[in-house]
Amino acid sequence: MANLDLLENSIPVAPLKLAALPGSMEMAKKVDAYLVQFRKELAERRNVVSFSGYSEDSFLIDCECPRFGSGEAKGKINESVRGADLYILVDVCNYSITYKVCGYENHMSPDDHYQDLKRIIAAATGKAHRINVIMPFIYEGRQHKRTKRESLDCALALQELMNMGVSNFITFDAHDPRVMNAIPLGGFDNFMPTYQFLKALLRSVPDLTIDNDHLMIISPDEGAMARAVYFSNVLGVDMGMFYKRRDYSTIVNGKNPIVAHEFLGDSVAGKDVVIIDDMISSGESMLDVAKQVKERGADHVFVCTTFGLFTDGLEKFDAYYEKGYISKVITTDLTYRTPELVSRPWYEPAEMSKYMASIIDTLNHDVSVAKVQSTTEKINKLLAKHR
């Protein structure tokens, strides 16, 4: 566990409690199991009597958002959270959860999950010592800047939650972390899953050769440059990038259509390629980049993205896998994944529950998260072991 010595010499800000909203219970149970393990290890190392509630059999609390027949809901916390350091976990992308409105069944949208989050916060405000929101896929994160007459939804949501009493926001690979400027007096921690990507990649491709002659990192657009630069630097390999040439004279589905992907970088011929980005939405852009690097002579193409949404289904990914355009697609388990996706031969998950538990434990002890955020040392150890 990270920072074991640091945590041993610190005390929690308050007793730890974890609340899971509908759609995030599977992840919450994994995180809870790690937290129980961490606390037992720390309690054994302490030379003093453990604090009351420091080591528990479970930190998960019973909460729910039942609905009336009209579809309206309310937040309920069925046990005491008074004086607790409360962490609320929500997956706004889990569309598998349904509810009824006047007899009709609706699938929950990100808006519905966000409203349920506010309900649980409202039920805990004034009772919990501190409220922290863990939102792996940040709500409206892609609407992070305003062009002309548009709403600035992500900034408004962060401000609204902070005004309700939230102290800290924990997210992963934010589309644009600068959205934290909307809440200059609030805590906002953005964590990257680079180590988990590499661990999953080496697990699924154990014979992967990591050097400048055999591997190259690709950024699919200018927005993913920072991720690709770090990944290529820590691995010690070259990097290339594509930029999207758009037709700004037309608008299709609210966006300017992509005319072509132009490549900047050295030759990929004969090399394995890792394409890294924050998310796969429909996947059209990612698949086009994979096809282009394959046509330029790349050997194997691996895709690493934090969030795999697959909004247009999996069929095109199946086709590209069969044609050899992609070899593996790695995403984290931070958002909902269909059973069909998990069973695909080209899919590999990057497990994040242990990392999330370490983040929660560190924040609860009110110590620096710098070592948890910086995974360079862990990556170097993993590379040394692999080589």
Side-chain angles (χ1 to χ4, degrees):
M1 181 194 167
N3 300 335
L4 198 60
D5 294 330
L6 189 61
L7 298 186
E8 185 183 16
N9 296 315
S10 60
I11 61 174
V13 295
L16 175 62
K17 297 290 183 181
L18 178 63
L21 269 71
S24 60
M25 183 56 74
E26 183 180 350
M27 171 60 82
K29 287 180 178 178
K30 294 178 183 178
V31 171
D32 182 53
Y34 278 115
L35 285 170
V36 171
Q37 176 189 331
F38 293 165
R39 287 300 171 89
K40 285 182 179 178
E41 292 174 1
L42 279 165
E44 290 172 1
R45 286 186 53 156
R46 287 184 181 275
N47 296 320
V48 297
V49 178
S50 294
F51 309 103
S52 175
Y54 185 77
S55 180
E56 298 280 357
D57 292 332
S58 176
F59 296 99
L60 270 172
I61 64 168
D62 180 19
C63 64
E64 59 182 331
C65 291
R67 291 183 180 266
F68 300 100
S70 61
E72 298 166 293
K74 61 180 177 180
K76 287 181 64 180
I77 299 177
N78 298 316
E79 57 187 88
S80 176
V81 293
R82 189 170 298 280
D85 189 21
L86 179 63
Y87 292 81
I88 306 174
L89 177 61
V90 57
D91 176 12
V92 299
C93 295
N94 194 336
Y95 57 88
S96 69
I97 308 298
T98 61
Y99 64 95
K100 287 192 174 181
V101 180
C102 300
Y104 294 94
E105 190 170 59
N106 280 4
H107 285 262
M108 288 187 71
S109 71
D111 292 342
D112 294 317
H113 286 291
Y114 176 66
Q115 292 301 322
D116 277 357
L117 171 64
K118 291 198 296 182
R119 292 177 177 115
I120 296 300
I121 292 170
T125 301
K127 304 170 185 68
H129 176 76
R130 188 173 69 174
I131 299 176
N132 313 269
V133 169
I134 306 174
M135 192 184 291
F137 186 95
I138 192 165
Y139 175 69
E140 291 285 6
R142 286 186 284 181
Q143 187 55 18
H144 58 93
K145 59 184 179 181
R146 181 161 53 195
T147 304
K148 297 181 180 179
R149 292 177 291 277
E150 291 183 344
S151 57
L152 200 53
D153 297 69
C154 189
L156 284 172
L158 290 174
Q159 289 179 350
E160 182 178 22
L161 295 183
M162 186 180 175
N163 290 335
M164 290 183 70
V166 174
S167 299
N168 298 308
F169 298 92
I170 299 102
T171 191
F172 293 83
D173 201 354
H175 192 66
D176 188 343
R178 290 174 296 182
V179 75
M180 71 175 71
N181 294 332
I183 49 167
L185 301 181
F188 186 102
D189 291 299
N190 182 46
F191 297 89
M192 303 297 290
T194 314
Y195 171 73
Q196 286 74 19
F197 280 159
L198 185 59
K199 194 174 180 181
L201 182 60
L202 295 180
R203 181 178 64 244
S204 60
V205 191
D207 58 345
L208 183 68
T209 303
I210 302 176
D211 61 38
N212 210 28
D213 296 324
H214 298 88
L215 186 67
M216 191 171 183
I217 308 300
I218 298 293
S219 171
D221 54 38
E222 57 273 25
M225 276 289 290
R227 302 175 184 89
V229 166
Y230 174 74
F231 209 27
S232 63
N233 284 342
V234 77
L235 296 181
V237 300
D238 282 341
M239 191 204 82
M241 73 160 287
F242 283 83
Y243 71 90
K244 298 173 183 176
R245 187 152 54 85
R246 296 180 180 270
D247 180 4
Y248 287 98
S249 65
T250 58
I251 296 176
V252 178
N253 294 327
K255 298 184 291 185
N256 302 111
I258 299 169
V259 177
H261 285 94
E262 306 291 353
F263 181 65
L264 302 172
D266 290 336
S267 172
V268 298
K271 294 183 178 181
D272 292 332
V273 165
V274 177
I275 306 172
I276 188 164
D277 205 356
D278 62 335
M279 75 178 73
I280 292 174
S281 185
S282 65
E284 291 287 339
S285 178
M286 184 65 73
L287 289 173
D288 186 41
V289 168
K291 182 180 178 182
Q292 289 207 37
V293 295
K294 193 69 177 178
E295 290 173 347
R296 284 175 165 82
D299 193 4
H300 297 95
V301 178
F302 308 107
V303 175
C304 292
T305 64
T306 306
F307 306 107
L309 306 182
F310 301 97
T311 57
D312 286 356
L314 306 174
E315 290 74 16
K316 196 162 187 178
F317 282 85
D318 292 335
Y320 272 54
Y321 174 70
E322 290 170 5
K323 292 176 182 177
Y325 291 141
I326 56 173
S327 297
K328 283 289 178 183
V329 176
I330 298 171
T331 77
T332 69
D333 57 352
L334 291 169
T335 53
Y336 172 69
R337 299 160 301 146
T338 63
E340 293 77 18
L341 170 63
V342 175
S343 66
R344 289 299 199 266
W346 45 262
Y347 177 73
E348 185 71 24
E351 301 286 341
M352 297 294 292
S353 53
K354 187 174 183 179
Y355 190 30
M356 189 182 294
S358 180
I359 293 166
I360 292 172
D361 205 16
T362 303
L363 288 171
N364 178 242
H365 283 82
D366 219 15
V367 295
S368 172
V369 296
K371 284 190 177 181
V372 182
Q373 281 182 319
S374 178
T375 55
T376 304
E377 185 179 342
K378 293 175 68 177
I379 291 172
N380 288 332
K381 287 182 180 178
L382 183 62
L383 289 174
K385 184 179 179 181
H386 176 71
R387 286 166 177 161

